Amino acid sequence: MIFLFIKSDDVVAKLLNIRIALAIIGMSALMVMIFSSVFGLFNPSDKEVSTSTENYIEIQLGKEYQLKSWEYEYITPDDVEISYIGVNEKNGKRIEVMEKRIPFSEVKEVISKDKTKRRLESKIEDN
């Protein structure tokens, strides 16, 4: 190693040692990121994607429409393609969405906002 040839008391040697350590840490972090993206370590499970997608669709339809049929395809770790049919039981109107590609982060965000909304509404009803 290069720092073996420089006196350890030297400021330049200490800075060089720090740069080498930071380079090793950076390379290790990059390897972990590449490994996790290739093998999907941080990707949600199929069950989580399915449940989250169904909840997202039901939120999008609202209370007026009933979800009758739906399917999804998990395109990438970041994207889901959804298709669904919702029917208004009172008047028979249908909402049909076919092959809409959305980021999975949007699915999670919409579900999170809906949970917050429900929590706030329940506080209003309790008072």
Side-chain angles (χ1 to χ4, degrees), residues 4-21:
L4 294 175
F5 299 109
I6 302 173
K7 292 181 183 178
S8 63
D9 293 339
D10 191 11
V11 174
V12 175
K14 288 180 181 179
L15 289 174
L16 201 56
N17 288 342
I18 291 171
R19 290 180 92 184
I20 291 171

Side-chain angles (χ1 to χ4, degrees), residues 35-60:
F35 181 79
S36 65
S37 67
V38 169
F39 293 105
L41 295 179
F42 301 115
N43 295 343
S45 67
D46 287 339
K47 183 175 175 84
E48 181 183 359
V49 173
S50 175
T51 304
S52 296
T53 304
E54 184 175 13
N55 290 342
Y56 171 83
I57 293 169
E58 288 175 345
I59 292 167
Q60 295 301 314

Side-chain angles (χ1 to χ4, degrees), residues 75-118:
I75 307 292
T76 67
D78 300 325
D79 292 327
V80 179
E81 187 177 88
I82 59 173
S83 300
Y84 60 90
I85 297 173
V87 177
N88 185 321
E89 297 293 331
K90 293 179 183 175
N91 60 20
K93 288 186 179 179
R94 293 168 55 133
I95 293 179
E96 298 180 4
V97 175
M98 299 299 140
E99 299 177 356
K100 178 181 177 184
R101 192 172 185 163
I102 54 172
F104 191 66
S105 60
E106 180 182 326
V107 171
K108 300 301 278 181
E109 182 180 337
V110 166
I111 292 170
S112 175
K113 287 180 180 179
D114 186 64
K115 285 180 183 177
T116 302
K117 179 182 173 186
R118 288 182 190 180

